[in-house]
Amino acid sequence: MAIESTNTEQPTIRVVLAKLGLDGHDRGIKVVARILRDAGMEVVYLGLRQTTASIVAAAEEEDADAIGLSMHNAGHLALAPSMLAALHDADLDIPLIIGGIIPEADIPILEGSGVAAILGPGAPAEEVVTAVRGAVAART
Amino acid sequence: MDDKKHAWQEQYDATHLRDVPFETMSGVPVDPVFGDAPLPGQYPFTRGLHAAGYRSRLWTMRMFAGFGTAEDTNARFKEILRNGGMGLSTAFDMPTLMGYDSDSPWALGEVGRAGVAVDTLRDMEDLYADIDLGKVSTSMTINGPAAALLAMYIAVGEQGGVAKSDLAGTIQNDILKEYQAQKEYIYPPRPSMRIVTDMIRYTSAEMPKWHPVSISGYHIREAGSTAAQELAFTLANGFAYVEAALAEGQDVDQFGRRLSFFFNAHSDFFEEIGKFRAARRIWARWMKERYGATDERAMMCRFHTQTAGVSLTAQQPENNIARVAIQALSAALGGTQSLHTDSFDEALALPTEKAARIALRTQQVVAHETGVTNVADPLGGAPYVEWMTDEMELQAEAVFAHLDELGNGSILEGVYAGIDNGYFVGEIADAAYRFAREINNDQRIIVGLNEFTDGNDEDETNLLRIDHSVEELQRKRLEAVKQERNSAAVEASLAAIRNAAEDPTVNLMPPIIDAVKTYATEEEISNAMRNVFGTYVEQAIV
Amino acid sequence: MSVKKLSVPELVGRALEGDRRAIGRMLTLIERGGEPADEITDLTHPATKGAHVVGITGAPGAGKSTLTGQLIRHLPTLGLKPAVLAVDPSSPLTGGAILGDRVRMDDVAGDGGFIRSVATRGYAGGLALSVPGSVRAFDACGFGPVLIETVGVGQVEVDVAGAADTTVVVVNPGWGDAVQANKAGLLEVADVFVINKADRDGANDTRRDLELMLDLSHVSGLEDGTGYRPPILMTTATDGLGVEAMWEAVTAHQAHLEATSALERRRAARFRYEVASRLTTRMERSIARSLDGLTPDGRSPATVAADLAADLLA
């Protein structure tokens, strides 16, 4: 038998998590970071006050499989499209997942504009993990 | 013992009581207080600040409002006053809270959303138009740029002929909890603390009816802390402000009377009541024993309470009305001085007018129908309640001991160190995660969330939608103000702020008041200080 | 087109041209290990230019990220193009990780620099392979210096940081406990000491403690017999105070290494260490496969091992 080198591991999912804009509510996103870590993912946590440009740069450098943004200030109808546009301009085909306070009526609008998944407040851990895995699988 | 009872009686007899019968619904008269000394109104105030409890005065029903433009919020304020609200509480939008104007790139999507947008004095004039500032008490929930907003309020008062010494209210201005929980900071902790102490000094001297800091546990709890952490971190922050003001040579009996607190009322009924009672006892003892206060008014922990926004569910939102009622009752039994009740739809959006009215009605029901206001501290002496109060105190004291050690005998330095090394955010994140996991494992039932979910698929209730045109409108208003103002005067006033910022012996309030009167914007004023103080970036403690 | 669909040579080609997405993807493949990682090693090796590798290590909360952030703001003003590998531990229970170092060093985005967050992924061999691989990739793509930031708590992390050309050990005032320092193994690997948060009380005491420890201990440069003594710098990372002087100390160490041919020695040692790690990893995998399904068959364990070894090395 020859000595060989093969990659036997399952690829680890890498997720960039950030708060886009000024909204400082980070309880939810921190819980989500731990949920994803506990599901075996690597979470690159960018923290508060990020811009679309800083998120794009991180997604490129970290080779993110998914981007998760948390929104609690009702700015999602402006912020989510601006994030999607920035990803498009950078030619990045990475699923965008939005979590936070999103009224039901806005969900089809966001999904229609290209958001891969939307997680409401108090979404159970399983739902969070499934949403991320599903969004990543859909793009590969 | 008899002396204390006698002293209480004298105090009670000297109190002007509300003109209602203090008897049960069935007509049985009840005593104003039960149990042993120390009684309500007596040090250490575990049982309340006033001998007569709510017999003299109900808590202030202070409803928080703010959205869209200043005119929109002004209309809501008038509605609140018409409905029997007694104080105004102003919510600002995120750009305002962070020291950015509505035309900043940071403001995209945020203008007028989570509160009202205030860029210049012009917005403040519209916000309080046709409201007599000499008659209402106003609370402004703002921290990083608090000095600019207080300056604008003073200027609006002056325009309406109300002297600043007659302005009554509270500005939150609790910068320490921003680094720990709410994250709406601008400058690093130490220069921020200097702004706070400047404001304490200024208001102590010039505005006797103003509370310059509302030391807030509310946001610590909302960020996921336990009840004991909320209590401990909040009071520790309070001690830190006291130590900072003492270090400046301010008089503890003077400024101590102006400090007030802001707590969260969550759903564990007795834990909350124990927390409120422990807060009063701890504060009184520390102010007297550690900080040398001699005036009892400087030992009193006065607090505002808000029901727990974090407890509201987006699922079957009407159930939140029940949660809010129970939480409001705990605040009343805990002896709060004022109360905001959350609207049932707040897990989804800003409250609609109807939901806000139901929330106000909820606390009116507690105040007027339940009879809990007949007796001061009606639960005092109950073994469970007294044990819970002691337990809360014990847990809080352990935190104080840790911070005291961290700061080598200074709570102020301990709090700075705890901010720097991630102690506070780490503790809060751990508690939040534990809670989330308990729900996730069904160890903890949240009705409608992980159990009793029939009805979750019903149609969503009507939500308040903020029109996207607000952003455009507000930018135009700001543009117009910038066109009209005297830019040389603006520049000169901003230079004066920079100079004051560079000299720690100068109070920042007067130059900031001068600047707002030139219609310098909030962002311009904040930038003048950003230039000198720098900005803060938190380390990632997840 | 998504970089995920490129072949390894195409991917490396684009990375070497400076395509940031391609670089990011290439680093992922290096971290995953296996054949693609080996192929990348072969393709990037010829393009390396000998970038200076700087390890930055110290206890959690010492201010490494803030200091690194200040450095990557400062270095472009000297015409340099820094890259950062920020290493954080993976959870031993779940294999996942929360990587938060970018929060305090994020000004580099768009300035030509590059930050990559790396999880230790639970086993020493992985990190020992992927870190040199990533350093090589950065070097080949024209970055330099390459900064490796690790928490100096585990032996692996000390090793990784210690495998740099220059290792900076960050301490805080009040840390000056010789026993602790020696326990952590940081003293021996330090080429430059930085006392961060030097505006605090006790900074001078800490400096004295460190000087004393240097007098008593066998530290790297002294052991080389070259007479190099690690300098002790004072910084306040939150204000950027002292960061320029710190970088000057790092370059002075580099000059010392070059002048004394210690650089060659260090890099040769690093080369041997990487080859050894790769060999070990290959052996471990092959051994695991050989053991798969192995049941007692009457032969002694020593005989079985000898037979399997003969097979493996055939």
Side-chain angles (χ1 to χ4, degrees), chain C residues 185-197:
Chain C
L186 291 178
L187 203 62
E188 295 98 281
V189 298
D191 300 305
V192 174
F193 279 105
V194 169
I195 302 173
N196 189 36
K197 304 181 187 176

PDB file of all heavy atoms in Angstrom, chain C residues 185-197:
ATOM      1  N   GLY C 185       5.333  29.068  27.703  1.00  0.00           N
ATOM      2  CA  GLY C 185       6.328  28.810  26.666  1.00  0.00           C
ATOM      3  C   GLY C 185       6.563  30.002  25.759  1.00  0.00           C
ATOM      4  O   GLY C 185       7.139  29.879  24.683  1.00  0.00           O
ATOM      5  N   LEU C 186       6.079  31.156  26.180  1.00  0.00           N
ATOM      6  CA  LEU C 186       6.154  32.335  25.311  1.00  0.00           C
ATOM      7  C   LEU C 186       7.522  32.996  25.364  1.00  0.00           C
ATOM      8  O   LEU C 186       7.955  33.638  24.422  1.00  0.00           O
ATOM      9  CB  LEU C 186       5.080  33.346  25.708  1.00  0.00           C
ATOM     10  CG  LEU C 186       3.656  32.910  25.400  1.00  0.00           C
ATOM     11  CD1 LEU C 186       2.660  33.954  25.879  1.00  0.00           C
ATOM     12  CD2 LEU C 186       3.487  32.676  23.908  1.00  0.00           C
ATOM     13  N   LEU C 187       8.169  32.826  26.489  1.00  0.00           N
ATOM     14  CA  LEU C 187       9.427  33.538  26.675  1.00  0.00           C
ATOM     15  C   LEU C 187      10.473  33.078  25.667  1.00  0.00           C
ATOM     16  O   LEU C 187      11.185  33.881  25.078  1.00  0.00           O
ATOM     17  CB  LEU C 187       9.915  33.282  28.108  1.00  0.00           C
ATOM     18  CG  LEU C 187      10.868  34.313  28.663  1.00  0.00           C
ATOM     19  CD1 LEU C 187      10.188  35.665  28.725  1.00  0.00           C
ATOM     20  CD2 LEU C 187      11.300  33.884  30.058  1.00  0.00           C
ATOM     21  N   GLU C 188      10.500  31.764  25.464  1.00  0.00           N
ATOM     22  CA  GLU C 188      11.542  31.227  24.585  1.00  0.00           C
ATOM     23  C   GLU C 188      11.346  31.614  23.127  1.00  0.00           C
ATOM     24  O   GLU C 188      12.294  31.656  22.373  1.00  0.00           O
ATOM     25  CB  GLU C 188      11.588  29.694  24.672  1.00  0.00           C
ATOM     26  CG  GLU C 188      12.001  29.165  26.023  1.00  0.00           C
ATOM     27  CD  GLU C 188      10.798  28.775  26.854  1.00  0.00           C
ATOM     28  OE1 GLU C 188      10.144  29.666  27.438  1.00  0.00           O
ATOM     29  OE2 GLU C 188      10.492  27.578  26.888  1.00  0.00           O
ATOM     30  N   VAL C 189      10.083  31.838  22.723  1.00  0.00           N
ATOM     31  CA  VAL C 189       9.859  32.096  21.297  1.00  0.00           C
ATOM     32  C   VAL C 189       9.871  33.585  20.970  1.00  0.00           C
ATOM     33  O   VAL C 189       9.822  33.964  19.809  1.00  0.00           O
ATOM     34  CB  VAL C 189       8.532  31.471  20.800  1.00  0.00           C
ATOM     35  CG1 VAL C 189       8.578  29.955  20.956  1.00  0.00           C
ATOM     36  CG2 VAL C 189       7.340  32.072  21.512  1.00  0.00           C
ATOM     37  N   ALA C 190       9.960  34.438  21.985  1.00  0.00           N
ATOM     38  CA  ALA C 190       9.820  35.876  21.734  1.00  0.00           C
ATOM     39  C   ALA C 190      11.071  36.478  21.101  1.00  0.00           C
ATOM     40  O   ALA C 190      12.180  36.254  21.572  1.00  0.00           O
ATOM     41  CB  ALA C 190       9.509  36.599  23.034  1.00  0.00           C
ATOM     42  N   ASP C 191      10.862  37.235  20.016  1.00  0.00           N
ATOM     43  CA  ASP C 191      11.938  38.043  19.452  1.00  0.00           C
ATOM     44  C   ASP C 191      11.733  39.509  19.800  1.00  0.00           C
ATOM     45  O   ASP C 191      12.676  40.287  19.835  1.00  0.00           O
ATOM     46  CB  ASP C 191      11.976  37.881  17.936  1.00  0.00           C
ATOM     47  CG  ASP C 191      12.222  36.438  17.532  1.00  0.00           C
ATOM     48  OD1 ASP C 191      13.220  35.856  17.993  1.00  0.00           O
ATOM     49  OD2 ASP C 191      11.398  35.879  16.777  1.00  0.00           O
ATOM     50  N   VAL C 192      10.485  39.865  19.995  1.00  0.00           N
ATOM     51  CA  VAL C 192      10.139  41.230  20.391  1.00  0.00           C
ATOM     52  C   VAL C 192       9.038  41.132  21.442  1.00  0.00           C
ATOM     53  O   VAL C 192       8.079  40.378  21.256  1.00  0.00           O
ATOM     54  CB  VAL C 192       9.613  42.052  19.184  1.00  0.00           C
ATOM     55  CG1 VAL C 192       9.122  43.425  19.631  1.00  0.00           C
ATOM     56  CG2 VAL C 192      10.673  42.196  18.096  1.00  0.00           C
ATOM     57  N   PHE C 193       9.196  41.847  22.542  1.00  0.00           N
ATOM     58  CA  PHE C 193       8.113  41.923  23.535  1.00  0.00           C
ATOM     59  C   PHE C 193       7.383  43.246  23.370  1.00  0.00           C
ATOM     60  O   PHE C 193       8.010  44.292  23.166  1.00  0.00           O
ATOM     61  CB  PHE C 193       8.677  41.866  24.964  1.00  0.00           C
ATOM     62  CG  PHE C 193       8.982  40.480  25.425  1.00  0.00           C
ATOM     63  CD1 PHE C 193      10.287  40.031  25.501  1.00  0.00           C
ATOM     64  CD2 PHE C 193       7.958  39.622  25.791  1.00  0.00           C
ATOM     65  CE1 PHE C 193      10.568  38.749  25.931  1.00  0.00           C
ATOM     66  CE2 PHE C 193       8.238  38.335  26.231  1.00  0.00           C
ATOM     67  CZ  PHE C 193       9.548  37.898  26.291  1.00  0.00           C
ATOM     68  N   VAL C 194       6.067  43.176  23.462  1.00  0.00           N
ATOM     69  CA  VAL C 194       5.272  44.400  23.438  1.00  0.00           C
ATOM     70  C   VAL C 194       4.433  44.431  24.707  1.00  0.00           C
ATOM     71  O   VAL C 194       3.715  43.474  25.004  1.00  0.00           O
ATOM     72  CB  VAL C 194       4.355  44.445  22.199  1.00  0.00           C
ATOM     73  CG1 VAL C 194       3.353  45.570  22.318  1.00  0.00           C
ATOM     74  CG2 VAL C 194       5.184  44.624  20.936  1.00  0.00           C
ATOM     75  N   ILE C 195       4.571  45.505  25.461  1.00  0.00           N
ATOM     76  CA  ILE C 195       3.678  45.715  26.603  1.00  0.00           C
ATOM     77  C   ILE C 195       2.566  46.620  26.105  1.00  0.00           C
ATOM     78  O   ILE C 195       2.750  47.821  25.918  1.00  0.00           O
ATOM     79  CB  ILE C 195       4.415  46.346  27.793  1.00  0.00           C
ATOM     80  CG1 ILE C 195       5.585  45.450  28.226  1.00  0.00           C
ATOM     81  CG2 ILE C 195       3.438  46.568  28.965  1.00  0.00           C
ATOM     82  CD1 ILE C 195       6.470  46.068  29.290  1.00  0.00           C
ATOM     83  N   ASN C 196       1.426  46.000  25.826  1.00  0.00           N
ATOM     84  CA  ASN C 196       0.293  46.770  25.305  1.00  0.00           C
ATOM     85  C   ASN C 196      -0.545  47.287  26.476  1.00  0.00           C
ATOM     86  O   ASN C 196      -0.475  46.754  27.575  1.00  0.00           O
ATOM     87  CB  ASN C 196      -0.547  45.899  24.361  1.00  0.00           C
ATOM     88  CG  ASN C 196      -1.595  46.708  23.633  1.00  0.00           C
ATOM     89  OD1 ASN C 196      -1.346  47.853  23.274  1.00  0.00           O
ATOM     90  ND2 ASN C 196      -2.758  46.129  23.441  1.00  0.00           N
ATOM     91  N   LYS C 197      -1.355  48.315  26.200  1.00  0.00           N
ATOM     92  CA  LYS C 197      -2.112  49.013  27.244  1.00  0.00           C
ATOM     93  C   LYS C 197      -1.121  49.665  28.219  1.00  0.00           C
ATOM     94  O   LYS C 197      -1.290  49.612  29.453  1.00  0.00           O
ATOM     95  CB  LYS C 197      -3.067  48.076  27.980  1.00  0.00           C
ATOM     96  CG  LYS C 197      -4.022  47.367  27.017  1.00  0.00           C
ATOM     97  CD  LYS C 197      -4.995  46.444  27.708  1.00  0.00           C
ATOM     98  CE  LYS C 197      -5.794  45.651  26.656  1.00  0.00           C
ATOM     99  NZ  LYS C 197      -6.701  44.675  27.226  1.00  0.00           N
TER     100      LYS C 197
END
